[in-house]
Amino acid sequence: MTDKTNANKSTQDLPAPLTRVALSDTELNDTKLDSIDGLDQYLKATAGSRQGRDIPPLEKWHPEQVADMNLVIKANGEWWHEGGLIGRESLVNLFATILWKEDNDGVIEYFLKTPVQKLRISVEDVPLLINDVGIVTENAISWLEFTTTTGDVVRLDDAHPITLRAYQPNKSTALNQINNEEVKESLTEPQVRPYMPVRNGLEALIGRNTFYHLTEIGELTEQNGVAILTLSSGSKSYQISMPDS
């Protein structure tokens, strides 16, 4: 983890501006958005004047077309397409800018959203992963600032609190190949994980190493036998009840 001493950290080390690709209207309409390359091509061709990693106005897009895409965001933050890991970090960062969440009659669904189509994807836990936290100082006020693996930057405040809740891993085919019952049970039992809201209703899991770093930054106390982690950010204090180890 790194301490951040510049309040403009959020504008540094971001992917280069999207390159505009000259495509005709016919070519855009014919582009298959449910393929990795097709969606990549479409987003770059329609980037317009957006610079760096600016999030497009997803709330203003109301596409009527909905399709399914064989893309899964794993519980560990990895993106998999058609059974294979997407290794291009720039591609994952680009697609993360059009992540969209909807609550349809109590069923949470995730999409990659464009002006012309919504592509339904699968998310095992939450779609974003925080892997860095640091302290930034702005106008003599210190903030805890978090960064996701895909470039989102968010500060701990009243609108972005940290919460703990249980996550139940799914039993996969891989687990069926494990003969050790103790290992199998440990991999499938509920896990208490820390989460934080980021944008457009999307949440991020705070990675294990990042959360350990929080325990070093904050103050651990005990109240009625319960461990309490107190974090200071923006001249306010936030308390998190730690689960039993």
Side-chain angles (χ1 to χ4, degrees):
M1 304 304 144
T2 58
D3 285 341
K4 304 172 185 177
T5 57
N6 190 328
N8 295 322
K9 171 69 175 177
S10 60
T11 62
Q12 299 175 353
D13 301 326
L14 298 182
L18 300 179
T19 302
R20 186 175 179 85
V21 181
L23 293 178
S24 67
D25 291 341
T26 300
E27 288 174 318
L28 284 175
N29 292 333
D30 291 341
T31 300
K32 292 188 63 178
L33 298 186
D34 57 351
S35 70
I36 286 289
D37 291 337
L39 185 58
D40 181 28
Q41 183 183 42
Y42 177 86
L43 291 176
K44 289 179 178 178
T46 57
S49 61
R50 287 196 291 117
Q51 297 295 313
R53 201 185 163 281
D54 288 345
I55 305 300
L58 302 179
E59 69 282 356
K60 297 181 180 179
W61 295 349
H62 306 285
E64 295 183 359
Q65 298 181 29
V66 180
D68 292 316
M69 186 176 192
N70 187 359
L71 189 151
V72 180
I73 302 179
K74 300 287 189 178
N76 63 0
E78 293 177 345
W79 290 50
W80 288 65
H81 180 251
E82 296 183 347
L85 176 66
I86 301 179
R88 290 168 56 190
E89 181 179 347
S90 61
L91 193 63
V92 171
N93 290 347
L94 178 61
F95 289 171
T97 65
I98 57 169
L99 275 169
W100 185 252
K101 176 183 176 182
E102 292 184 5
D103 185 340
N104 296 316
D105 297 325
V107 177
I108 301 299
E109 294 185 307
Y110 292 92
F111 302 88
L112 298 184
K113 188 179 183 182
T114 75
V116 298
Q117 190 176 46
K118 290 191 304 184
L119 299 169
R120 185 183 291 106
I121 65 173
S122 298
V123 177
E124 289 185 348
D125 187 11
V126 293
L128 302 173
L129 174 66
I130 290 172
N131 70 336
D132 188 33
V133 62
I135 300 173
V136 298
T137 301
E138 186 176 84
N139 299 324
I141 298 176
S142 295
W143 298 83
L144 282 181
E145 190 172 85
F146 300 77
T147 305
T148 70
T149 56
T150 48
D152 290 286
V153 177
V154 63
R155 293 177 179 180
L156 176 62
D157 57 22
D158 292 345
H160 304 89
I162 296 173
T163 57
L164 298 177
R165 68 172 182 267
Y167 165 68
Q168 176 65 64
N170 293 322
K171 292 184 178 181
S172 64
T173 303
L175 289 180
N176 294 330
Q177 299 174 358
I178 298 177
N179 295 324
N180 189 314
E181 291 299 324
E182 291 185 1
V183 172
K184 184 184 296 187
E185 182 177 354
S186 66
L187 292 176
T188 57
E189 64 184 11
Q191 307 166 3
V192 176
R193 293 176 147 196
Y195 300 90
M196 196 172 189
V198 178
R199 55 177 164 88
N200 294 331
L202 301 175
E203 287 184 295
L205 169 70
I206 300 177
R208 181 175 299 178
N209 290 338
T210 303
F211 193 75
Y212 284 160
H213 189 50
L214 280 179
T215 63
E216 298 172 351
I217 293 175
E219 179 184 4
L220 277 172
T221 57
E222 186 174 310
Q223 297 179 12
N224 300 321
V226 177
I228 304 293
L229 174 62
T230 301
L231 300 170
S232 297
S233 182
S235 299
K236 287 189 175 183
S237 294
Y238 299 88
Q239 291 189 335
I240 304 171
S241 298
M242 305 290 286
D244 295 334
S245 58

